[in-house]
Amino acid sequence: MEIFFNVLRVTLEEGFMYAVLALGVYITYSILDFPDLSVDGTVPLGAVTTGILIVQGVNPWLCCLISFVLGMAAGCVTGLLNVKLKIRPLLCGILVMTALLSINLVIVMSGTDGLSIVSFFASPTIFSSGLAEIIPASIGGFALRTVTISFIVAILCKVLLDLFLKTKTGLLLRAAGSNHQYVTMMGRNPGNMKILGLALGNGFAALAGSVIAQQKGSADLQMGTGMVVAGLACVIIGLSLFGKLKFVGATSAVILGSIIYKACLSAALAMGLPTEYLKLLMAVLFTAALVASGALSKKQGGKKHAAA
């Protein structure tokens, strides 16, 4: 029973944290149809920035906001490379991710006197200060506070994103990924909508890095490794399993996909999978999600063809 509750705790904690990342990937991958690899750089950007700022005594919630803004700036660069310089989407993400490797290193080393990791275990975070203190740290050994704060952050991001996508600008953003002519007819530049979408997507990625770092109490440059794969797996699993359900919205499906993805990883580790195989398991889950998504699409396409 103890193992079950431990798996449940880790699943919910990390599931809601990575759901923020998945929402960002949902914008770039599903809405814009843009293979954005810069996420592997913006996640640690948010993490290391938060770590340095918290050590300097900055409010942890303000750190989240600053990380989001910096992530948006990085996303804007990705969009400008594609829209203004006509560089292919895949290469744009690689260029920004590579540049962020140096930028993140400079941020860490400048704030830690040459170290490659920033630790702030004893400093206030969103999980240990402010309104979080109202929530009991744990009930019956279950880490209630961490799960609750993670849930609040994920739901807040989901609600704000849903509200934005219902605005005129949000509708144009959704059209920019599939119908450029409609955006042009509405008097807007499709390129600007793409830049906006990439900015928002990377903003969410950096915010996820900030939240994850505060939960861990430390931040380093390796936190971004495999984040693109993790985010895409959450999105594909969620949309494949829940995307066709009328009572489940796309953003809700993405959050559920993140929880299922993390549940698979947590269960595998609980059953004794060595941690060095974790990235391999992530790749396997992502591959399975892609295959299942493709098979489901073919099945639905066959039904539509038969009905016609």
Side-chain angles (χ1 to χ4, degrees):
M1 186 61 69
E2 182 180 351
I3 295 177
F4 170 77
F5 279 111
N6 185 55
V7 171
L8 179 62
R9 175 186 61 81
V10 174
T11 297
L12 294 178
E13 283 181 6
E14 297 190 356
F16 289 129
M17 293 179 198
Y18 278 79
V20 179
L21 166 66
L23 289 173
V25 175
Y26 166 72
I27 296 174
T28 57
Y29 174 78
S30 294
I31 295 180
L32 293 180
D33 194 22
F34 192 103
D36 183 21
L37 297 182
S38 56
V39 168
D40 273 10
T42 49
V43 170
L45 172 64
V48 299
T49 299
T50 294
I52 297 300
L53 291 176
I54 286 181
V55 170
Q56 299 299 321
V58 179
N59 183 281
W61 288 104
L62 181 58
C63 293
C64 291
L65 179 60
I66 294 174
S67 297
F68 182 81
V69 172
L70 291 177
M72 288 190 68
C76 283
V77 174
T78 304
L80 288 170
L81 289 175
N82 175 249
V83 174
K84 302 300 181 182
L85 300 183
K86 307 302 180 183
I87 299 176
R88 293 182 179 180
L90 195 63
L91 294 178
C92 293
I94 293 175
L95 289 172
V96 173
M97 178 184 65
T98 303
L100 286 175
L101 291 175
S102 292
I103 294 173
N104 294 338
L105 181 60
V106 170
I107 292 174
V108 173
M109 296 186 70
S110 63
T112 59
D113 296 327
L115 299 178
S116 60
I117 183 173
V118 53
S119 299
F120 48 96
F121 295 101
S123 301
T125 67
I126 61 174
F127 298 100
S128 62
S129 63
L131 296 176
E133 294 179 314
I134 301 175
I135 305 170
S138 63
I139 294 181
F142 185 80
L144 180 65
R145 181 182 296 173
T146 304
V147 172
T148 302
I149 296 298
S150 301
F151 172 77
I152 290 173
V153 172
I155 295 302
L156 181 61
C157 291
K158 168 198 155 38
V159 171
L160 291 176
L161 179 58
D162 285 340
L163 291 175
F164 171 74
L165 291 177
K166 291 179 181 178
T167 64
K168 180 180 178 180
T169 303
L171 292 174
L172 291 173
L173 174 62
R174 286 191 283 180
S178 57
N179 193 343
H180 290 184
Q181 293 182 347
Y182 176 78
V183 180
T184 304
M185 289 173 56
M186 296 297 293
R188 297 292 186 90
N189 187 337
N192 292 339
M193 290 294 102
K194 182 180 292 187
I195 294 173
L196 174 61
L198 288 167
L200 289 174
N202 282 278
F204 278 116
L207 175 59
S210 175
V211 174
I212 294 170
Q214 294 191 54
Q215 190 270 339
K216 292 176 58 179
S218 64
D220 60 74
L221 303 178
Q222 303 302 318
M223 290 181 63
T225 305
M227 286 299 178
V228 170
V229 172
L232 283 174
C234 296
V235 171
I236 293 173
I237 290 173
L239 295 181
S240 298
L241 295 179
F242 307 103
K244 300 303 179 182
L245 300 178
K246 294 182 180 180
F247 58 90
V248 178
T251 53
S252 298
V254 169
I255 293 177
L256 292 174
S258 177
I259 294 174
I260 292 175
Y261 176 72
K262 280 300 173 180
C264 293
L265 295 180
S266 299
L269 291 175
M271 289 187 291
L273 179 73
T275 55
E276 56 265 28
Y277 290 99
L278 186 59
K279 297 298 182 182
L280 176 61
L281 178 59
M282 291 172 61
V284 171
L285 288 175
F286 183 43
T287 302
L290 287 173
V291 172
S293 178
L296 184 62
S297 298
K298 289 183 179 180
K299 183 177 180 180
Q300 291 175 345
K303 287 182 178 179
K304 290 181 180 179
H305 181 72

mmCIF file of all heavy atoms in Angstrom, residues 206-241:
data_model
loop_
_atom_site.group_PDB
_atom_site.id
_atom_site.type_symbol
_atom_site.label_atom_id
_atom_site.label_comp_id
_atom_site.label_asym_id
_atom_site.label_seq_id
_atom_site.Cartn_x
_atom_site.Cartn_y
_atom_site.Cartn_z
ATOM 1 N N ALA A 206 9.082 27.292 -20.157
ATOM 2 C CA ALA A 206 9.946 27.907 -19.152
ATOM 3 C C ALA A 206 9.262 27.935 -17.787
ATOM 4 O O ALA A 206 9.904 27.733 -16.747
ATOM 5 C CB ALA A 206 10.330 29.328 -19.586
ATOM 6 N N LEU A 207 7.956 28.177 -17.780
ATOM 7 C CA LEU A 207 7.198 28.152 -16.526
ATOM 8 C C LEU A 207 7.241 26.763 -15.900
ATOM 9 O O LEU A 207 7.401 26.614 -14.676
ATOM 10 C CB LEU A 207 5.748 28.572 -16.784
ATOM 11 C CG LEU A 207 4.787 28.486 -15.591
ATOM 12 C CD1 LEU A 207 5.273 29.351 -14.438
ATOM 13 C CD2 LEU A 207 3.379 28.899 -16.014
ATOM 14 N N ALA A 208 7.118 25.733 -16.739
ATOM 15 C CA ALA A 208 7.219 24.360 -16.234
ATOM 16 C C ALA A 208 8.594 24.123 -15.613
ATOM 17 O O ALA A 208 8.706 23.499 -14.555
ATOM 18 C CB ALA A 208 6.971 23.366 -17.364
ATOM 19 N N GLY A 209 9.636 24.628 -16.259
ATOM 20 C CA GLY A 209 10.981 24.497 -15.708
ATOM 21 C C GLY A 209 11.100 25.173 -14.364
ATOM 22 O O GLY A 209 11.743 24.650 -13.438
ATOM 23 N N SER A 210 10.470 26.325 -14.218
ATOM 24 C CA SER A 210 10.488 27.058 -12.953
ATOM 25 C C SER A 210 9.807 26.261 -11.845
ATOM 26 O O SER A 210 10.331 26.135 -10.730
ATOM 27 C CB SER A 210 9.796 28.415 -13.121
ATOM 28 O OG SER A 210 9.707 29.102 -11.890
ATOM 29 N N VAL A 211 8.643 25.711 -12.137
ATOM 30 C CA VAL A 211 7.884 24.947 -11.139
ATOM 31 C C VAL A 211 8.626 23.674 -10.756
ATOM 32 O O VAL A 211 8.732 23.321 -9.568
ATOM 33 C CB VAL A 211 6.477 24.620 -11.671
ATOM 34 C CG1 VAL A 211 5.734 23.711 -10.699
ATOM 35 C CG2 VAL A 211 5.680 25.894 -11.908
ATOM 36 N N ILE A 212 9.155 22.957 -11.742
ATOM 37 C CA ILE A 212 9.886 21.716 -11.469
ATOM 38 C C ILE A 212 11.119 21.988 -10.614
ATOM 39 O O ILE A 212 11.419 21.250 -9.674
ATOM 40 C CB ILE A 212 10.281 21.030 -12.789
ATOM 41 C CG1 ILE A 212 9.030 20.553 -13.534
ATOM 42 C CG2 ILE A 212 11.213 19.842 -12.529
ATOM 43 C CD1 ILE A 212 9.297 20.079 -14.954
ATOM 44 N N ALA A 213 11.829 23.069 -10.933
ATOM 45 C CA ALA A 213 13.028 23.417 -10.167
ATOM 46 C C ALA A 213 12.676 23.738 -8.713
ATOM 47 O O ALA A 213 13.384 23.333 -7.788
ATOM 48 C CB ALA A 213 13.734 24.607 -10.814
ATOM 49 N N GLN A 214 11.573 24.450 -8.515
ATOM 50 C CA GLN A 214 11.181 24.797 -7.149
ATOM 51 C C GLN A 214 10.750 23.567 -6.355
ATOM 52 O O GLN A 214 10.937 23.512 -5.135
ATOM 53 C CB GLN A 214 10.065 25.837 -7.183
ATOM 54 C CG GLN A 214 10.510 27.184 -7.752
ATOM 55 C CD GLN A 214 9.486 28.277 -7.530
ATOM 56 O OE1 GLN A 214 9.052 28.516 -6.418
ATOM 57 N NE2 GLN A 214 9.107 28.965 -8.614
ATOM 58 N N GLN A 215 10.185 22.592 -7.029
ATOM 59 C CA GLN A 215 9.822 21.358 -6.336
ATOM 60 C C GLN A 215 11.069 20.551 -5.963
ATOM 61 O O GLN A 215 11.137 19.947 -4.889
ATOM 62 C CB GLN A 215 8.878 20.529 -7.218
ATOM 63 C CG GLN A 215 8.249 19.340 -6.533
ATOM 64 C CD GLN A 215 9.071 18.072 -6.672
ATOM 65 O OE1 GLN A 215 9.892 17.955 -7.576
ATOM 66 N NE2 GLN A 215 8.874 17.121 -5.767
ATOM 67 N N LYS A 216 12.074 20.565 -6.837
ATOM 68 C CA LYS A 216 13.312 19.834 -6.586
ATOM 69 C C LYS A 216 14.224 20.560 -5.605
ATOM 70 O O LYS A 216 15.007 19.937 -4.896
ATOM 71 C CB LYS A 216 14.070 19.610 -7.899
ATOM 72 C CG LYS A 216 13.402 18.659 -8.864
ATOM 73 C CD LYS A 216 14.173 18.568 -10.176
ATOM 74 C CE LYS A 216 15.609 18.126 -9.948
ATOM 75 N NZ LYS A 216 16.350 18.021 -11.227
ATOM 76 N N GLY A 217 14.155 21.896 -5.589
ATOM 77 C CA GLY A 217 15.051 22.683 -4.749
ATOM 78 C C GLY A 217 16.396 22.931 -5.380
ATOM 79 O O GLY A 217 17.331 23.394 -4.723
ATOM 80 N N SER A 218 16.496 22.664 -6.678
ATOM 81 C CA SER A 218 17.749 22.884 -7.393
ATOM 82 C C SER A 218 17.463 22.977 -8.897
ATOM 83 O O SER A 218 16.389 22.582 -9.359
ATOM 84 C CB SER A 218 18.759 21.758 -7.127
ATOM 85 O OG SER A 218 18.259 20.525 -7.632
ATOM 86 N N ALA A 219 18.437 23.492 -9.634
ATOM 87 C CA ALA A 219 18.291 23.612 -11.081
ATOM 88 C C ALA A 219 19.652 23.419 -11.732
ATOM 89 O O ALA A 219 20.668 23.870 -11.194
ATOM 90 C CB ALA A 219 17.713 24.981 -11.458
ATOM 91 N N ASP A 220 19.671 22.746 -12.867
ATOM 92 C CA ASP A 220 20.920 22.550 -13.607
ATOM 93 C C ASP A 220 20.629 22.536 -15.098
ATOM 94 O O ASP A 220 19.469 22.588 -15.535
ATOM 95 C CB ASP A 220 21.609 21.249 -13.180
ATOM 96 C CG ASP A 220 20.731 20.022 -13.422
ATOM 97 O OD1 ASP A 220 20.583 19.632 -14.595
ATOM 98 O OD2 ASP A 220 20.177 19.477 -12.445
ATOM 99 N N LEU A 221 21.679 22.450 -15.880
ATOM 100 C CA LEU A 221 21.548 22.560 -17.327
ATOM 101 C C LEU A 221 20.997 21.297 -17.971
ATOM 102 O O LEU A 221 20.591 21.325 -19.136
ATOM 103 C CB LEU A 221 22.910 22.897 -17.945
ATOM 104 C CG LEU A 221 23.587 24.167 -17.419
ATOM 105 C CD1 LEU A 221 24.945 24.341 -18.070
ATOM 106 C CD2 LEU A 221 22.709 25.382 -17.675
ATOM 107 N N GLN A 222 20.980 20.184 -17.244
ATOM 108 C CA GLN A 222 20.532 18.915 -17.815
ATOM 109 C C GLN A 222 19.021 18.726 -17.716
ATOM 110 O O GLN A 222 18.495 17.728 -18.202
ATOM 111 C CB GLN A 222 21.231 17.754 -17.095
ATOM 112 C CG GLN A 222 22.740 17.813 -17.148
ATOM 113 C CD GLN A 222 23.275 17.828 -18.566
ATOM 114 O OE1 GLN A 222 22.787 17.094 -19.427
ATOM 115 N NE2 GLN A 222 24.272 18.647 -18.827
ATOM 116 N N MET A 223 18.329 19.678 -17.101
ATOM 117 C CA MET A 223 16.885 19.512 -16.898
ATOM 118 C C MET A 223 16.103 19.515 -18.205
ATOM 119 O O MET A 223 14.984 19.025 -18.259
ATOM 120 C CB MET A 223 16.361 20.621 -15.986
ATOM 121 C CG MET A 223 16.822 20.510 -14.549
ATOM 122 S SD MET A 223 16.163 21.813 -13.503
ATOM 123 C CE MET A 223 14.396 21.469 -13.616
ATOM 124 N N GLY A 224 16.674 20.077 -19.271
ATOM 125 C CA GLY A 224 15.947 20.158 -20.530
ATOM 126 C C GLY A 224 16.061 18.927 -21.405
ATOM 127 O O GLY A 224 15.343 18.800 -22.410
ATOM 128 N N THR A 225 16.945 18.005 -21.030
ATOM 129 C CA THR A 225 17.164 16.819 -21.859
ATOM 130 C C THR A 225 15.906 15.967 -21.960
ATOM 131 O O THR A 225 15.364 15.517 -20.946
ATOM 132 C CB THR A 225 18.316 15.965 -21.284
ATOM 133 O OG1 THR A 225 19.486 16.775 -21.144
ATOM 134 C CG2 THR A 225 18.606 14.790 -22.195
ATOM 135 N N GLY A 226 15.436 15.762 -23.174
ATOM 136 C CA GLY A 226 14.270 14.908 -23.400
ATOM 137 C C GLY A 226 12.935 15.565 -23.150
ATOM 138 O O GLY A 226 11.894 14.897 -23.209
ATOM 139 N N MET A 227 12.911 16.886 -22.899
ATOM 140 C CA MET A 227 11.651 17.554 -22.598
ATOM 141 C C MET A 227 10.722 17.611 -23.809
ATOM 142 O O MET A 227 9.505 17.569 -23.670
ATOM 143 C CB MET A 227 11.912 18.965 -22.064
ATOM 144 C CG MET A 227 12.428 18.991 -20.649
ATOM 145 S SD MET A 227 11.240 18.261 -19.509
ATOM 146 C CE MET A 227 12.136 18.360 -17.961
ATOM 147 N N VAL A 228 11.287 17.719 -24.999
ATOM 148 C CA VAL A 228 10.459 17.720 -26.207
ATOM 149 C C VAL A 228 9.727 16.390 -26.329
ATOM 150 O O VAL A 228 8.519 16.349 -26.602
ATOM 151 C CB VAL A 228 11.310 17.983 -27.464
ATOM 152 C CG1 VAL A 228 10.487 17.748 -28.716
ATOM 153 C CG2 VAL A 228 11.844 19.406 -27.462
ATOM 154 N N VAL A 229 10.461 15.302 -26.114
ATOM 155 C CA VAL A 229 9.865 13.965 -26.195
ATOM 156 C C VAL A 229 8.776 13.811 -25.137
ATOM 157 O O VAL A 229 7.680 13.308 -25.416
ATOM 158 C CB VAL A 229 10.946 12.880 -26.022
ATOM 159 C CG1 VAL A 229 10.305 11.502 -25.909
ATOM 160 C CG2 VAL A 229 11.914 12.912 -27.188
ATOM 161 N N ALA A 230 9.077 14.254 -23.910
ATOM 162 C CA ALA A 230 8.096 14.124 -22.825
ATOM 163 C C ALA A 230 6.839 14.930 -23.125
ATOM 164 O O ALA A 230 5.712 14.441 -22.961
ATOM 165 C CB ALA A 230 8.716 14.594 -21.505
ATOM 166 N N GLY A 231 7.018 16.170 -23.572
ATOM 167 C CA GLY A 231 5.864 17.018 -23.879
ATOM 168 C C GLY A 231 5.023 16.468 -25.011
ATOM 169 O O GLY A 231 3.783 16.433 -24.932
ATOM 170 N N LEU A 232 5.680 16.012 -26.075
ATOM 171 C CA LEU A 232 4.948 15.441 -27.207
ATOM 172 C C LEU A 232 4.213 14.162 -26.814
ATOM 173 O O LEU A 232 3.085 13.926 -27.252
ATOM 174 C CB LEU A 232 5.915 15.152 -28.362
ATOM 175 C CG LEU A 232 6.365 16.349 -29.191
ATOM 176 C CD1 LEU A 232 7.435 15.932 -30.193
ATOM 177 C CD2 LEU A 232 5.190 16.988 -29.909
ATOM 178 N N ALA A 233 4.859 13.338 -25.985
ATOM 179 C CA ALA A 233 4.211 12.099 -25.545
ATOM 180 C C ALA A 233 2.946 12.410 -24.751
ATOM 181 O O ALA A 233 1.906 11.770 -24.953
ATOM 182 C CB ALA A 233 5.180 11.281 -24.693
ATOM 183 N N CYS A 234 3.018 13.393 -23.868
ATOM 184 C CA CYS A 234 1.832 13.785 -23.088
ATOM 185 C C CYS A 234 0.704 14.249 -24.004
ATOM 186 O O CYS A 234 -0.459 13.884 -23.816
ATOM 187 C CB CYS A 234 2.197 14.897 -22.105
ATOM 188 S SG CYS A 234 3.380 14.436 -20.831
ATOM 189 N N VAL A 235 1.064 15.071 -24.991
ATOM 190 C CA VAL A 235 0.053 15.614 -25.908
ATOM 191 C C VAL A 235 -0.578 14.504 -26.739
ATOM 192 O O VAL A 235 -1.813 14.414 -26.857
ATOM 193 C CB VAL A 235 0.681 16.674 -26.832
ATOM 194 C CG1 VAL A 235 -0.301 17.091 -27.925
ATOM 195 C CG2 VAL A 235 1.108 17.899 -26.018
ATOM 196 N N ILE A 236 0.244 13.652 -27.309
ATOM 197 C CA ILE A 236 -0.267 12.605 -28.199
ATOM 198 C C ILE A 236 -1.093 11.582 -27.422
ATOM 199 O O ILE A 236 -2.165 11.155 -27.876
ATOM 200 C CB ILE A 236 0.897 11.914 -28.935
ATOM 201 C CG1 ILE A 236 1.550 12.910 -29.894
ATOM 202 C CG2 ILE A 236 0.410 10.699 -29.704
ATOM 203 C CD1 ILE A 236 2.803 12.397 -30.560
ATOM 204 N N ILE A 237 -0.618 11.185 -26.240
ATOM 205 C CA ILE A 237 -1.380 10.235 -25.427
ATOM 206 C C ILE A 237 -2.732 10.832 -25.049
ATOM 207 O O ILE A 237 -3.783 10.183 -25.166
ATOM 208 C CB ILE A 237 -0.587 9.852 -24.160
ATOM 209 C CG1 ILE A 237 0.620 9.003 -24.530
ATOM 210 C CG2 ILE A 237 -1.486 9.088 -23.178
ATOM 211 C CD1 ILE A 237 1.552 8.726 -23.365
ATOM 212 N N GLY A 238 -2.709 12.071 -24.585
ATOM 213 C CA GLY A 238 -3.950 12.720 -24.164
ATOM 214 C C GLY A 238 -4.944 12.885 -25.292
ATOM 215 O O GLY A 238 -6.127 12.539 -25.147
ATOM 216 N N LEU A 239 -4.483 13.393 -26.433
ATOM 217 C CA LEU A 239 -5.390 13.633 -27.554
ATOM 218 C C LEU A 239 -5.862 12.330 -28.180
ATOM 219 O O LEU A 239 -6.989 12.248 -28.682
ATOM 220 C CB LEU A 239 -4.706 14.507 -28.606
ATOM 221 C CG LEU A 239 -4.367 15.943 -28.173
ATOM 222 C CD1 LEU A 239 -3.711 16.709 -29.314
ATOM 223 C CD2 LEU A 239 -5.609 16.681 -27.684
ATOM 224 N N SER A 240 -5.017 11.292 -28.163
ATOM 225 C CA SER A 240 -5.410 10.005 -28.739
ATOM 226 C C SER A 240 -6.479 9.318 -27.900
ATOM 227 O O SER A 240 -7.434 8.744 -28.431
ATOM 228 C CB SER A 240 -4.188 9.090 -28.873
ATOM 229 O OG SER A 240 -3.226 9.641 -29.747
ATOM 230 N N LEU A 241 -6.323 9.388 -26.576
ATOM 231 C CA LEU A 241 -7.251 8.685 -25.685
ATOM 232 C C LEU A 241 -8.510 9.479 -25.378
ATOM 233 O O LEU A 241 -9.598 8.909 -25.228
ATOM 234 C CB LEU A 241 -6.549 8.323 -24.370
ATOM 235 C CG LEU A 241 -5.389 7.330 -24.460
ATOM 236 C CD1 LEU A 241 -4.786 7.098 -23.089
ATOM 237 C CD2 LEU A 241 -5.843 6.009 -25.064
#
